[in-house]
């Protein structure tokens, strides 16, 4: 996985997208036994969460690189969810900080980042996996105000309101709520 992700900055965005999709597919079968081999990839994928190219418009593959990096990280977290020692290595401060930036909401409850809604809820699941396996992560999430983000997410949702529909609500279905 590390070989696929190395030197991404030297390739066009379309090739970066293909490399990160490949990494996400490789992460699908990863488990605790393969964590040693993908440890360096976690840092590369974490760095891709802040990937930005000002020359690329919002509608192109730029956000696909970030979305697929999130998918790869979520799959890796799922694969090691039952191994607290591997989760400890996986759940770095850098990863948590980048994920918290991506799931930030505006005051009206809209997503502040350009990631897809499915990626957004995948990141919340990733944080839940990390927090369930590492109490220090749960504590850090509370200190960083995750409860405020979740409150805003729920408060802006039309799932709990019998009044008007909010088109900017990020939480639109019961399935997203269960995540």
């Amino acid at each position: 996985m590390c070989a696929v992700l190395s030197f991404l900055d030297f390739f066009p965005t379309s090739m970066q997208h293909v490399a990160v999709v490949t990494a996400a597919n490789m992460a699908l079968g990863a488990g605790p036994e393969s964590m040693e081999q993908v440890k360096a990839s976690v840092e590369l994928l974490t760095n891709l969460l802040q990937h930005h190219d000002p020359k690329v418009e919002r509608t192109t593959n730029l956000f696909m690189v970030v979305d697929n990096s999130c998918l790869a990280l979520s799959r890796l977290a799922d694969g090691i969810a039952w191994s607290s020692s591997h989760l400890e290595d996986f759940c770095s401060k850098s990863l948590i900080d980048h994920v918290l930036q991506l799931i930030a909401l505006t005051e009206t409850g809209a997503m502040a980042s350009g990631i897809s809604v499915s990626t957004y809820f995948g990141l919340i699941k990733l944080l839940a996996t990390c927090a369930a396996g590492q109490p220090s992560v749960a504590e850090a999430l509370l200190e960083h105000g995750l409860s405020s983000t979740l409150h805003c997410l729920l408060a802006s949702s039309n799932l709990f309101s019998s009044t008007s529909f909010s088109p900017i609500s990020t939480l639109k279905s019961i399935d997203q709520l269960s995540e």
Side-chain angles (χ1 to χ4, degrees), residues 1-2 5-6 39-49 69:
M1 188 181 305
C2 195
L5 296 172
S6 296
K39 197 179 267 188
S41 301
V42 172
E43 186 177 335
L44 293 170
L45 289 165
T46 299
N47 290 336
L48 286 173
L49 296 182
S69 298

Side-chain angles (χ1 to χ4, degrees), residues 54-104:
K55 297 177 286 189
V56 180
E57 290 189 29
R58 184 181 172 102
T59 58
T60 61
N61 288 336
L62 171 65
F63 288 104
M64 294 179 142
V65 170
V66 175
D67 282 351
N68 283 297
S69 298
C70 294
L71 178 61
L73 288 165
S74 294
R75 287 177 173 175
L76 288 172
D78 287 344
I80 61 168
W82 303 109
S83 173
S84 62
S85 63
H86 288 104
L87 266 177
E88 186 175 347
D89 292 337
F90 179 81
C91 300
S92 68
K93 180 181 180 339
S94 175
L95 173 66
I96 301 302
D97 289 345
H98 290 318
V99 170
L100 287 172
Q101 287 174 0
L102 287 171
I103 67 165

Side-chain angles (χ1 to χ4, degrees), residues 11-173:
F11 294 102
T13 306
S14 60
M15 289 304 295
Q16 292 175 7
H17 173 241
V18 170
V20 177
V21 167
T22 302
N25 288 333
M26 292 170 75
L28 190 57
E33 66 283 349
S34 59
M35 192 59 189
E36 288 302 317
Q37 294 138 349
V38 298
K39 197 179 267 188
S41 301
V42 172
E43 186 177 335
L44 293 170
L45 289 165
T46 299
N47 290 336
L48 286 173
L49 296 182
Q50 60 187 5
H51 184 74
H52 179 69
D53 184 351
K55 297 177 286 189
V56 180
E57 290 189 29
R58 184 181 172 102
T59 58
T60 61
N61 288 336
L62 171 65
F63 288 104
M64 294 179 142
V65 170
V66 175
D67 282 351
N68 283 297
S69 298
C70 294
L71 178 61
L73 288 165
S74 294
R75 287 177 173 175
L76 288 172
D78 287 344
I80 61 168
W82 303 109
S83 173
S84 62
S85 63
H86 288 104
L87 266 177
E88 186 175 347
D89 292 337
F90 179 81
C91 300
S92 68
K93 180 181 180 339
S94 175
L95 173 66
I96 301 302
D97 289 345
H98 290 318
V99 170
L100 287 172
Q101 287 174 0
L102 287 171
I103 67 165
L105 297 172
T106 64
E107 290 179 11
T108 59
M111 290 188 306
S113 65
I115 60 175
S116 69
V117 173
S118 61
T119 299
Y120 184 88
F121 288 102
L123 289 175
I124 290 178
K125 182 180 176 191
L126 177 130
L127 290 176
T129 301
C130 290
Q134 290 295 310
S136 60
V137 172
E139 186 178 323
L141 293 174
L142 290 173
E143 288 173 0
H144 282 91
L146 181 63
S147 57
S148 297
T149 301
L150 295 175
H151 177 267
C152 186
L153 180 68
L154 292 170
S156 67
S157 172
N158 60 352
L159 293 176
F160 304 108
S161 173
S162 60
T163 58
S164 65
F165 172 74
S166 173
I168 59 170
S169 175
T170 304
L171 185 61
K172 293 184 173 113
S173 73

